[in-house]
Amino acid sequence: MSHPSSGLIAAILSASLLAGCATAPGTPPQSTVAIPGQLADSEAVRSDAPPPDWWRLYHEPALDVLVEEALTNNRDLRAALANLLQARSILSEARGELWPTTNLSGGAGEGSTLEDQIAAASEGTDKIRTGPRFDIRTSVSWELDLFGRLRSTVKAAEADAQASAALEDGVRVAVAAGVTGAWLDACGYAHRADVARQSLALAQRGLDLAERLLAAGSGLPVDVLRAEVLVDQASAAIPMLDAKRHDALTELAVLTGRPPAEIPSAAAACRRLPAITTPLPIGNGLTLLRRRPDVRAAERKLAANTARIGVAVADLYPRISLDGGAALSSPTVGGIASRNNLVWRVGPLLSWSFPNVSAVHARIRYAQAGEAAGLADFDATILRALKEVDQTAEDYGAALRRQGDLRAAADHSARADRLMQIQRSAGAATALEALDAERADIDAQAALAAADSDVTTTQVALFKALGGGWENAPAIVLPSPQRTAPVASVTGSSK
């Protein structure tokens, strides 16, 4: 003979199956973006995949050390790790809901119980026994995940945690690119400042020559004024180059987790740009999508939104759990162990918002709209990744072509300067003509130095667009919070 509750549950399940008119999708939708096999058509790049630690292509051991330090100590990375730990905690909580939950409580006080009230009613009196009361209660509940609500919740939490991990990797990419870019900027601006100082010294020599010629009666006052203009212009170029170098060095310090004043000595000593002389490896479209953490994060967010549809759809059906509980209540501590004071219950428990399911259908539509937004964001992220690689590869190729033209111009200018110095030594050229040739050579060197910096800037931008730098990164360690009151608070204190 079947238990009465089993028939009731069967009837409710039958009604719920008839009432549930929505189904949850099993998998997230696929992106509709076509992935190209070749990312760029340029002699500046090649199709093999870039190395995870791409900054080592510059062959600067001190730079390698700083990148490693930043990937360990950077504060943005610590915040990203904390966010990931929060997401994993939520996942652990969701997984814990799959198992039975228990509760235990106890209490003591003055009052009466339901049993006291029933006893008074059976005796036909209004006098309800009151007095000391000692209670112990325990309960166990296990939800039967018949319609996938808990499993969908776990899937959503898993996808959220994976998205947080991808976002953490994205911060690693930004940090590695930031450190490398700051190092190269510091070296490049130092070199450009050195060239600018050479230009200033040359302009000062021109002014001295113009003043001597004027004093000897062979020059004109306007020549002195023009020379003074060149001195002022050459001098004006130096402060901003020094400031830009300082900005790059302080950026480098902060990225590695140091105060701005603690500038890495190796970076401060660099005055010449390292160069990558071979075409850059960039891989193909699939390699790009696997390397880009933002693409992975968008895909996982889409999966989480799909799982949340399952959570919403499950609310169309009843929640059924196996529950058990026991309570002991006695006017004395010693009487708690008496069987006469025990109340217990074991059986199924049902919760259902039927037949008013309009709110549930609204939540389903909300979850479906979230999935549509997640798919759109996933597609947009893929397109953005492809666009960034295409644009940065084109910029890099253009920077290389410009660098090549300016290097040729610098070589020609240096040859012209050497010939002019030979002519000057032979008496076939004037001092002003020799000075003009030397000035043209310095200008060509300054233009080439700026072009060299542009090349390294576009290199770093391309590597960052390719999404590398997180694969072999060291683990981040969160320091233990220091809770001792500081002598002086950063934000101040109010009294």
Side-chain angles (χ1 to χ4, degrees), residues 43-371:
E43 296 180 356
V45 299
R46 61 180 192 262
S47 59
D48 52 317
D53 47 357
W54 52 267
W55 51 88
R56 296 184 184 275
L57 296 174
Y58 290 101
H59 301 292
E60 288 285 344
L63 170 61
D64 302 339
V65 171
L66 287 177
V67 172
E68 190 83 3
E69 182 180 346
L71 291 176
T72 304
N73 297 326
N74 181 266
R75 299 307 190 261
D76 291 335
L77 275 174
R78 290 182 180 179
L81 174 59
N83 292 335
L84 175 58
L85 294 177
Q86 286 182 328
R88 287 175 176 171
S89 298
I90 294 174
L91 172 59
S92 297
E93 180 183 3
R95 287 173 173 168
E97 294 294 330
L98 294 171
W99 300 97
T101 59
T102 59
N103 184 49
L104 177 65
S105 63
E110 294 284 329
S112 62
T113 65
L114 178 62
E115 289 80 3
D116 295 326
Q117 297 177 20
I118 293 175
S122 63
E123 295 173 0
T125 177
D126 293 334
K127 295 182 179 180
I128 301 174
R129 195 202 71 81
T130 60
R133 181 61 61 179
F134 301 91
D135 302 289
I136 295 178
R137 299 177 184 273
T138 183
S139 63
V140 179
S141 179
W142 188 11
E143 181 176 342
L144 304 179
D145 194 26
L146 301 178
F147 304 103
R149 185 184 72 87
L150 298 179
R151 293 192 299 273
S152 295
T153 301
V154 170
K155 285 182 179 179
E158 285 177 342
D160 284 336
Q162 292 163 355
S164 294
L167 292 175
E168 181 189 47
D169 289 338
V171 178
R172 287 190 172 98
V173 173
V175 168
V179 171
T180 306
W183 172 283
L184 296 174
D185 284 346
C187 298
Y189 282 119
H191 177 56
R192 292 173 63 182
D194 290 342
V195 174
R197 287 183 172 87
Q198 295 176 24
S199 179
L200 175 60
L202 185 61
Q204 188 63 54
R205 284 171 49 197
L207 175 59
D208 294 342
L209 178 59
E211 289 175 342
R212 290 198 304 270
L213 291 175
L214 178 62
S218 301
L220 299 173
V222 69
D223 295 331
V224 175
L225 291 174
R226 289 172 179 169
E228 289 175 341
V229 170
L230 294 177
V231 170
D232 293 337
Q233 290 176 338
S235 179
I238 297 174
M240 288 306 300
L241 293 174
D242 287 340
K244 291 292 186 181
R245 174 176 174 270
H246 174 78
D247 292 347
L249 290 172
T250 54
E251 176 74 10
L252 191 59
V254 172
L255 284 171
T256 54
R258 313 181 189 190
E262 294 185 12
I263 294 174
S265 57
C270 180
R271 309 200 73 83
R272 181 71 64 170
L273 271 173
I276 300 176
T277 57
T278 58
L280 300 188
I282 66 171
N284 56 33
L286 289 177
T287 301
L288 169 68
L289 299 187
R290 293 190 185 103
R291 285 169 57 89
R292 290 270 301 216
D294 58 337
V295 173
R296 183 158 34 100
E299 189 273 335
R300 291 290 81 202
K301 289 178 180 178
L302 172 59
N305 289 334
T306 300
R308 290 188 178 95
I309 297 177
V311 176
V313 168
D315 284 340
L316 287 172
Y317 306 96
R319 297 184 188 180
I320 300 175
S321 59
L322 298 178
D323 280 47
L328 290 166
S329 181
S330 172
T332 63
V333 175
I336 290 181
S338 173
R339 293 184 58 186
N340 295 332
N341 295 322
L342 173 65
V343 178
W344 62 275
R345 180 188 61 80
V346 176
L349 182 65
L350 181 143
S351 174
W352 195 15
S353 60
F354 182 78
N356 182 13
V357 293
S358 58
V360 177
H361 282 293
R363 290 196 294 271
I364 293 173
R365 292 193 298 272
Y366 180 86
Q368 290 171 338
E371 182 189 55

